[in-house]
Amino acid sequence: MNSIKPKPKEVVIYNYDIKQQKIDLLYRGERIPGHLREYQRLWRVRDKERNIETIIITV
């Protein structure tokens, strides 16, 4: 059994502003940029049908 998951075709990253209670698009593309990898992920989900991974962080 192979436990390696294929990489998503597209990654979408949003920033959640806790104080203003709003969410903004930060990035959409094929790979997570290095400068956004350091932030803790609040929420992460993958749409298997469309092969898109959505990540919400707080900057």
Side-chain angles (χ1 to χ4, degrees):
M1 182 180 223
N2 190 357
S3 63
I4 298 174
K5 295 179 182 178
K7 290 186 179 185
K9 180 176 67 176
E10 184 175 28
V11 176
V12 182
I13 301 175
Y14 294 94
N15 176 47
Y16 176 64
D17 185 334
I18 296 170
K19 290 180 182 178
Q20 295 183 4
Q21 297 288 300
K22 71 176 199 171
I23 194 165
D24 295 307
L25 177 67
L26 285 180
Y27 174 79
R28 178 176 292 224
E30 294 181 13
R31 296 182 179 185
I32 300 171
H35 70 281
L36 294 177
R37 290 180 187 267
E38 67 185 67
Y39 296 101
Q40 182 179 3
R41 296 173 183 160
L42 299 176
W43 186 75
R44 177 178 166 177
V45 68
R46 179 180 276 185
D47 181 335
K48 293 179 184 178
E49 291 180 18
R50 295 184 301 163
N51 202 16
I52 298 173
E53 184 170 14
T54 302
I55 300 170
I56 297 177
I57 62 174
T58 185
V59 177

